[in-house]
Amino acid sequence: MTTASVPADLDAHLKANYSNALDELFAFLRIPSVSARSEHAADCRSAATWLSDRLTHAGFTSALMETPGHPIVLAEWRGAGAEAPTLLIYGHYDVQPAEPLELWTSPAFEPQVRDGRIYARGSVDDKGQLYLHVKALEAHLAVRGTLPVNVIVLAEGEEEVGSENLEQFLEANRERLRCDGVVISDSTMFAPGTPSILSSLRGLAYVEINVRGSNSDLHSGMYGGAVVNPAMALAQILSTMHDAQGRVAIDGFYDDVKAWPEHVREQMRTLPFNEEEFRHEVGSPALGGEAGYSVLERLWTRPTCEVNGLLSGYTGEGAKTVLPAVAMAKVSCRLVPDQDPRVVEKLIAAHVARVAPPGVIATVTALHGGRPWRAELSGPLHEAGVFALEAAFGKTPVVTGEGGSIPVVGDFERILGAPVLLMGFGLPGENAHAPDEWISEENFRQGMRAAATLIDQYAVNR
Ligand code: BES
Ligand code: MN
Ligand code: MN
C-alpha cells in the first residue's frame, strides 16, 4: 500500500495545463541545439534564451552566463529566505547530432507523438527531462505564489561534448551556487511503470591512439613485407588490451577499483533482467565481456576498455594496393569508483608505449574524461526522491546502476559539497543519441508530478 501522493493543488494545475506544457516542449525541441557543430552555435544560444525566458515567465530571475563555449542558463528563486534550504536542478539543453537523418521516421527537429511517445532529437536527452522540472516549479509559483525551498536551475549547453566549461563555472561561482542538494533527470527508468533512482554512474577516460610509420603511403608491393604496417601495428596494440577472460590487461588498471557495496549488489540482483532478451534487443549473435559477472554487473559495476573508432588506409570502393602511413583509434574506458580518469589516461599511454612494435611511433592523446560516481542512497533528498516517485507512479522506486556517464555529477559533490539525486524518466529503447529518439509522454507527465512533489517533500524532510 502506498501513502505518498502528489499534492492535489499542484496535480490539478499540471493536469489543466498539460497541453501547454506539451506545446512548449515541442517549441524547445524544434531548436536544433547541437553542441558539437559550430554551425549550430546560434541555435544553442536560442535554446538557452528560450529556456531562460520560460524560467523568467515562471517567476525566476534568469540570465545567460557566458562561457568560452555555449552559454549556461542560471535561474534563481530565493523567496524562501536565507534560512531555508536550497535545491539545485541541473540539466542540459544541448543535444547530440541527429545524423544519420535518413533513418528518422519523422524529422529529428519536428517533434511528433506516435503511440504515446514524443519523437525528436533531445526529447529524452535531455530537454524533456529538464523541462518537466521547469513546469513543476512553475506549478508551485502559479498555484501558491511561492516555493517551500530556494531553487537554482542550472542548464548547460555542452554536456554532450564533455562539459568542458562547467567545472570551471562551478569553481568560479561556488558561493552563488551553494546548495543543499542537486537534482538531475537525465537518465532512464529500469522499465515502464517502474520508477527508478540511479545509484551510480561510470566515469570516462577517452583517448586517441595515433600510429605513424613511413613518411607517406607506400606501394604495398614495392614496400610491403619490409616496412612495418601501422594498421597492423595498431591492431596488435589493441589486441593486447584484454586478456582471455575479458579483463582489461593494462597494468594498474584495477588498482583503484573499490568493491561494490554488498547491499547495492543485493538490490541489483533482485531486478528482473533477462540476458537473452537483452541480447535479442541489441541484435548481436552472442554477448561478451568480463568472465564471472552478470550482464548488469558488467554494465553498471565493472570498468571497460573499448574501441570507439578506427581509421587507416584505403576504405573506398574496390581494391587499392597501399601500405598506410598512419593508423588511428579512438579508445574509451568506462570507469568505476575510485578510478581517476587522469591516472587511467597515463596507464593507457604507458601500456601503448610498452606494447607498440618497433618500426612505428605510437602516441596517445587524452580527449576527455569524467569521474565515476556512486550515491549514498540516504538522507533527506534521497528520501524525498523515493516519496515523490512513489507518489507519481504509485510504486516504490527501484535502485538501479548505469553504464553511461554524467561527468558533472562528481563535480557537484566535490565542488558544491551537495548530495545528488538522479531520478530519470527515460526508458529502455529510447534511442538516445540515435535516430528516432523518444520520451514516453506518460513519463513526461508523471515526471512533472514527481518533480513538483519532490520540492514539497524535501522541505518536509529537512
Ligand atoms: N544522459 C546521458 C548519460 C546517461 C545516459 C545517463 C543514460 C544515464 C542513463 C548524457 O547526456 C550522455 O550522453 N553522456 C555522455 C557523456 C560524455 C559525452 C562525456 C556519455 O555517457 O557518453
Ligand atoms: Mn543527457
Ligand atoms: Mn547524451
Side-chain angles (χ1 to χ4, degrees), residues 92 94-96 125-126 159-160 186 405 432-433:
H92 61 94
D94 66 322
V95 302
Q96 287 275 332
D125 188 12
D126 176 43
E159 198 278 341
E160 299 292 10
D186 189 20
S405 311
H433 296 200

Side-chain angles (χ1 to χ4, degrees), residues 12 37 50 61 74 93 106 152 156-157 230 266 310 324 359 366 370 374 426 434:
R37 295 274 154 77
W50 184 91
T61 304
L74 181 59
Y93 68 77
S106 52
I152 302 169
E156 70 158 316
E266 192 62 50
L310 280 173
R374 203 147 66 197

Side-chain angles (χ1 to χ4, degrees), residues 112 152 173 308 400:
Q112 204 182 83
I152 302 169
N173 295 280
N308 292 227
T400 63

